[in-house]
């Protein structure tokens, strides 16, 4: 039997633990796996493109566990009342090749992206950072805000979205969680005086959310929204002034902000900084940039953490998805045996 | 909600329809998709190797549907009472990127492999073929036998396995299904006078199940067991005397019998023969060889057929695996909404 974490299961697991503590735990797994970087199979996403979107598989393995995520990207979906991005994933045992857990990953991806951003900012932002601008107040924004509060102590948020309704939604959702929230009417207003800028906009285009004159010295930029070819958020001049950190260079050069730069433009690898083998920011005046696109190892960390939480809480179902004849050579015999229990899917709670 | 076809569901779907009719239907979908060959995204498997086995993803798409199969290969599993190969797969809608159906595929893969073998033999074996040798009487063998009876009218089977118990199992399982069965004590004895030879052995090694002196003129060889690097069944001389047909040359050159030949050795593509654009066998004396490794488009056909059968019979469950907030921008809102029904997985029967 394979464990199955449904949408309701994951919501209950996160509610049960509290999102703050869940993000803390998840961040520790993300950090731990970045420190074991060389153990992982690393390949670019396996993408299937169509006129309206893309479907991708993101596999990786540390030699003990194997994971993959299925994720789509369909910008036109929102207009049809559907999610732009949906995802699910699998954790398997490398020794037997058997699946261990299937899970929804739309919610889990938002959590892991936020945890990873905060893990990066912890080693890249100026010590003592307290304030953050958030440009783009959509589906990812609450997760980012809470992760930065939990892991870095960011309490002052300056919010901007081209749609004021998105900002209203974000302020409503963060109400009562200990933030000082300021709604702004432009990106320029949002970035005034902050320590960190998070850009997390959704349009699939080469946008210019941040221009050079908006970015003062000493800032850390957490660039989340530029994550596929043809989708960037920062003006090239911002990149040229920043010390750039990435997850996996071959993927980021295709998908990240640095697709605007030459293929051999020097970038720094986040895992080396987390492991203490490379320097993060060089001084308090430097601009640091985390050019985040989301990498398979982060999904691995998320599935590994979720599996541990599911086992600890019992909040999962089980799926009968692996045929298991008594005699492995007699698969056919299953067809001639008496029918098993009708309810193939059992509630594991 | 995503449809879920469990092991019990697929067994009931096949029993309900009868395996013969299921294989007929599946073969017609396989044929149909081979005829639409140029529409498919075709990439080699995405493999993750370990010391004890391999885990692979096999994605493809025709622009309307997208499928992938997860499949492992762990030869050592049998000794531990586990399956060497387990598989599951997904059918998704390309237009929305949403998953439509998740299914077990261990049983389904055996069915699709048999259907594909028979589809190939229909256009490659000598007309009027009646008898087949089966070397290797393991988990795949019953499926192959029944597919060849249904699609080609093969009734006389000559069986050989290095383990007589496997042959006994096969004879027991085929009893009463209209075959004339002969157990043989060697490969040489099994191939005597037959029209078709099916090799479907399991060892991961370069074995020599068929040598040149065993293969007379006019035979069709259905070579199933050589399906990964370092695993072949036929002596190279057999290949050199045969007209060779393959599914997708770039994959077969790595995984099939033809890994023993030069990279530019001429091979023929099965889809062209099925579509009537290329000749199958040239004359009654020629030896034809289907060097089968299993390609993603066949899994696509199988998942498409199974989806239609599941919908027609109602024999499926449903999974709550796609988060679907009313406002797509308010994913976080799901965490603060009241808890949904506890039983996230509902029985769709």
């Amino acid at each position: 039997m394979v464990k199955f974490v449904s949408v309701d299961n994951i919501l209950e697991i996160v509610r049960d633990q509290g999102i703050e503590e869940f993000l803390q735990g998840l961040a520790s797994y993300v950090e731990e796996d970045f420190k074991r970087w060389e153990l992982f199979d690393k390949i670019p996403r396996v993408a299937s493109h169509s006129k309206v979107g893309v479907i991708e598989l993101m596999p990786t393995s540390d030699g003990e566990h194997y994971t993959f995520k299925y994720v789509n990207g369909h910008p036109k979906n929102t207009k049809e009342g559907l999610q732009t991005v949906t995802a699910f994933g699998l954790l398997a045992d490398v020794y037997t090749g058997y699946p261990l857990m299937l899970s929804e990953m739309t919610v889990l991806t938002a959590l892991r992206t936020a945890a990873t951003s905060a893990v990066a900012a912890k080693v890249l932002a100026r010590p003592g950072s307290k304030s953050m601008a958030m440009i783009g107040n959509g589906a990812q924004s609450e997760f980012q805000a809470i992760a930065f509060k939990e892991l870095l102590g960011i309490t002052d948020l300056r919010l901007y979205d081209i749609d004021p309704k998105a900002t209203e939604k974000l302020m409503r959702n963060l109400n009562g969680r200990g933030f000082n929230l300021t709604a702004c009417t432009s990106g320029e207003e949002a970035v005034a005086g902050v320590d960190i800028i998070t850009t997390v906009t959704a349009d699939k285009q080469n946008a210019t959310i941040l221009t050079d004159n908006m970015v003062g010295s000493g800032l850390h930029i957490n660039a989340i929204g530029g994550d596929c070819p043809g989708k960037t958020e920062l003006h090239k001049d911002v990149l040229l002034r920043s010390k750039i950190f990435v997850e996996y260079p071959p993927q980021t050069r295709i998908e990240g902000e640095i697709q605007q730069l030459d293929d051999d433009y020097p970038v720094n690898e986040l895992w080396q900084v987390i492991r203490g083998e490379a320097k993060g920011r060089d001084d308090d005046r430097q601009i640091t940039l985390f050019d985040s696109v989301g990498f398979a190892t982060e999904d691995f960390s998320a599935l590994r953490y979720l599996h541990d939480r599911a086992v600890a809480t019992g909040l999962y179902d089980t799926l009968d998805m692996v045929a298991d004849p008594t005699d492995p050579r007699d698969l056919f015999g299953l067809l001639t045996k008496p029918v098993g229990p009708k309810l193939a899917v059992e509630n594991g709670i």
Side-chain angles (χ1 to χ4, degrees), chain A residues 243-255:
Chain A
K243 183 168 180 182
I244 302 172
F245 298 84
V246 304
E247 292 140 316
Y248 180 57
Q251 182 175 306
T252 311
R253 290 193 191 277
I254 297 167
E255 302 174 0

Side-chain angles (χ1 to χ4, degrees), chain A residues 266-281:
Chain A
V267 295
N268 304 277
E269 298 197 43
L270 181 61
W271 69 270
Q272 294 181 316
V273 182
I274 291 173
R275 201 148 78 179
E277 289 176 5
K279 215 170 168 182
R281 68 168 46 242

Side-chain angles (χ1 to χ4, degrees), chain A residues 140-265:
Chain A
Q140 303 280 319
S141 55
E142 293 88 350
F143 299 91
Q144 290 281 335
I146 296 171
F148 275 77
K149 178 158 184 292
E150 279 307 297
L151 277 93
L152 282 94
I154 301 296
T155 48
D156 295 2
L157 298 182
R158 299 177 63 81
L159 314 175
Y160 173 67
D161 195 290
I162 47 168
D163 181 357
K165 288 207 182 92
T167 308
E168 281 167 32
K169 175 223 59 166
L170 175 56
M171 293 183 79
R172 202 166 50 239
N173 280 337
L174 293 183
N175 187 25
R177 291 185 177 267
F179 290 100
N180 303 314
L181 303 171
T182 308
C184 302
T185 56
S186 69
E188 285 78 1
E189 188 189 337
V191 301
V194 297
D195 302 308
I196 297 172
I197 300 174
T198 287
T199 57
V200 56
T201 60
D203 267 357
K204 182 168 174 169
Q205 59 179 330
N206 291 310
T208 309
I209 308 300
L210 278 191
T211 53
D212 196 29
N213 64 334
M214 291 166 71
V215 179
S217 69
L219 273 171
H220 173 64
I221 304 171
N222 173 42
I224 303 300
D227 58 0
C228 62
K231 185 173 171 218
T232 58
E233 294 182 318
L234 311 188
H235 192 282
K236 187 179 168 180
D237 289 347
V238 177
L239 306 183
L240 297 175
R241 276 174 64 207
S242 305
K243 183 168 180 182
I244 302 172
F245 298 84
V246 304
E247 292 140 316
Y248 180 57
Q251 182 175 306
T252 311
R253 290 193 191 277
I254 297 167
E255 302 174 0
E257 297 297 330
I258 59 171
Q259 66 188 270
Q260 302 179 65
L261 305 179
D262 291 339
D263 281 350
D264 58 353
Y265 190 89

Side-chain angles (χ1 to χ4, degrees), chain A residues 24-88:
Chain A
Q24 284 276 10
L26 174 50
S28 72
Y29 277 50
V30 168
E31 255 172 7
E32 203 176 284
D33 288 335
F34 269 118
K35 288 181 183 166
R36 307 188 299 136
W37 186 252
E38 72 282 356
L39 289 179
F40 287 90
D41 261 2
K42 287 174 282 287
I43 63 165
R45 304 163 195 255
V46 181
S48 175
H49 294 276
S50 69
K51 279 175 199 160
V52 291
V54 63
I55 296 176
E56 297 173 330
L57 298 174
M58 300 168 69
T60 192
S61 168
D62 69 347
E64 184 180 346
H65 289 107
Y66 169 94
T67 62
F68 76 83
K69 178 163 84 171
Y70 168 105
V71 58
N72 74 302
H74 285 67
K76 61 89 187 154
N77 272 7
T78 312
K79 284 175 199 144
E80 299 167 15
L82 299 171
Q83 291 284 297
T84 300
V85 173
T86 62
F88 71 90

Side-chain angles (χ1 to χ4, degrees), chain A residues 113-126:
Chain A
T113 304
T116 305
S117 284
V119 162
K122 257 175 63 181
V123 293
L124 298 178
R126 264 183 296 113

